Amino acid sequence: MTGATHVITSVSLAAALGFHRPSKLIVAAISSVICDIDRNNSLVGRFIPILPKLIEGTVGKRTITHCLPIMAALGLLIWTSYPSLLIPFILGFGSHLVLDLPTGNVALLYPFPKRFSLNFGIPPVFIESFYLMGLGVFFTLNWTNVQTHLKIIFNF
Ligand SMILES: [Zn+2]
């Protein structure tokens, strides 16, 4: 998925779950794109070009920056410093990992070499297009129902 798709998803998720403060939405957005620091053509990788080369040359793409142990370590760091930002961080980082599964192999348990993916049998570009189309239709047609159900489920 592209950086824009990750940002749209994480900020939409955070907003739908009741996180409306700019600081929380910014954390959700940043944590959704920071994973792709391992790609030189990514939103974040373009700003610090040395990091993608370094990461790809040593551990490879979608490894250390796309794994649950790093998400847990960063989450612990955030929880001890700014506890109110933990959930927005998890929404951003976690949604990135989930959204990358249909478009490639992700080493979720790095340093263990096992890679995970979801294969729908269609090219990744179509998966992203269908996903964005569905997201737009979902929020447009059912926004009131979505809010009502989320408030009931999460009691907010
Ligand atoms: Zn990624």
Side-chain angles (χ1 to χ4, degrees):
M1 300 279 175
T2 63
T5 302
H6 288 300
V7 169
I8 289 167
T9 299
S10 65
V11 172
S12 297
L13 264 175
L17 293 174
F19 297 99
H20 300 140
R21 289 181 173 234
S23 61
K24 294 178 181 181
L25 297 176
I26 289 170
V27 166
I30 291 173
S31 60
S32 75
V33 292
I34 198 75
C35 306
D36 280 343
I37 193 72
D38 62 349
R39 291 181 33 221
N40 59 7
N41 64 345
S42 70
L43 213 57
V44 181
R46 282 183 237 158
F47 290 107
I48 314 167
I50 187 95
L51 278 178
K53 288 179 184 170
L54 184 68
I55 294 170
E56 187 177 1
T58 54
V59 294
K61 289 180 183 177
R62 290 183 170 175
T63 55
I64 195 167
T65 61
H66 286 69
C67 68
L68 294 172
I70 289 295
M71 182 174 134
L74 291 174
L76 184 64
L77 190 68
I78 289 170
W79 182 64
T80 56
S81 322
Y82 303 98
S84 67
L85 298 178
L86 178 63
I87 301 298
F89 165 76
I90 290 172
L91 291 173
F93 204 101
S95 68
H96 184 109
L97 299 183
V98 170
L99 288 179
D100 271 3
L101 290 175
T103 58
N105 296 322
V106 183
L108 288 175
L109 302 175
Y110 184 83
F112 295 105
K114 171 82 175 141
R115 287 183 175 261
F116 298 86
S117 66
L118 293 172
N119 186 356
F120 294 110
I122 56 175
V125 67
F126 293 126
I127 291 172
E128 185 161 8
S129 299
F130 287 134
Y131 169 74
L132 286 174
M133 185 176 63
L135 193 66
V137 169
F138 180 76
F139 279 112
T140 302
L141 296 180
N142 295 313
W143 179 240
T144 305
N145 289 337
V146 169
Q147 283 181 315
T148 303
H149 286 92
L150 289 174
K151 284 180 181 176
I152 292 168
I153 292 169
F154 294 104
N155 197 23
F156 64 92

